[in-house]
Amino acid sequence: MIFGRSERGKPPVEPVTLKILVAGGFGVGKTTLVGAVSEIRPLRTEELLTEAGRPVDDTSGVEGKHTTTVAMDFGRITLREDLVLYLFGTPGQERFWFMWDELAEGALGAVVLADTRRLEDCFAAVDYFERRSIPFLVGVNCFDDAARYPADAVRKALDLGPDVPVVLCDARDRESVKDVLIGVVRHAMAYAADHRQAVTT
């Protein structure tokens, strides 16, 4: 079905739009994830790394990376006829973290993308969403040259609660990313239902 047109006499469906953040450390694959799944050409705000930024940009472990997101990535994916996700990738470097508060406004939930070679790089994102009670899922981006660990081992290393989903994924693969996003939506809806129940009891 094409939005705005009826199919076989059915009234047009107005899709619900939800905002999902994609966060994590520098070079973890946020831009790749948004680009892999977006049904529109993603909006990217990447700039070349410069010598001036070398003293403040930690590129250890991602020495081959030559660009960085300075504001956000933006993409869109239709999960169902009545459900559209807007994806906002956050900048990973500390000097651009001031953007996070604006990007997080109205977000249903978030994906914290992690690299097992540099797990400490996602601590800031985990802490950010925990402090603001924004439900999140940890997606472990399985790089080809990175060691593979079970989800429970990653959970323990990040000191996550048992209610936070941890999934292994490939940020380059559309179907893998779709599974991650579906997991975020389900987790956020369950989180919201539990919160409502806690308030009414």
Side-chain angles (χ1 to χ4, degrees), residues 177-190:
V177 174
K178 280 178 66 175
D179 289 341
V180 170
L181 296 176
I182 290 169
V184 173
V185 172
R186 287 176 175 166
H187 175 56
M189 292 175 68

Side-chain angles (χ1 to χ4, degrees), residues 121-196:
D121 288 358
C122 70
F123 286 158
V126 168
D127 183 64
Y128 182 89
F129 297 123
E130 284 182 342
R131 287 178 180 273
R132 287 158 181 80
S133 297
I134 297 174
F136 66 95
L137 169 154
V138 172
V140 181
N141 192 10
C142 298
F143 288 89
D144 293 336
D145 57 347
R148 303 292 175 93
Y149 299 95
D152 285 343
V154 175
R155 178 189 307 283
K156 185 175 182 180
L158 293 177
D159 194 25
L160 299 173
D163 59 320
V164 178
V166 178
V167 298
L168 306 183
C169 67
D170 183 342
R172 302 166 298 183
D173 182 76
R174 179 179 174 84
E175 292 305 313
S176 179
V177 174
K178 280 178 66 175
D179 289 341
V180 170
L181 296 176
I182 290 169
V184 173
V185 172
R186 287 176 175 166
H187 175 56
M189 292 175 68
Y191 180 92
D194 290 345
H195 183 71
R196 284 195 299 268

Side-chain angles (χ1 to χ4, degrees), residues 43-62:
L43 168 66
R44 293 176 174 160
T45 58
E46 286 197 308
E47 297 291 343
L48 288 172
L49 293 171
T50 64
E51 286 299 319
R54 190 173 295 278
V56 294
D57 295 336
D58 182 9
T59 58
S60 56
V62 285

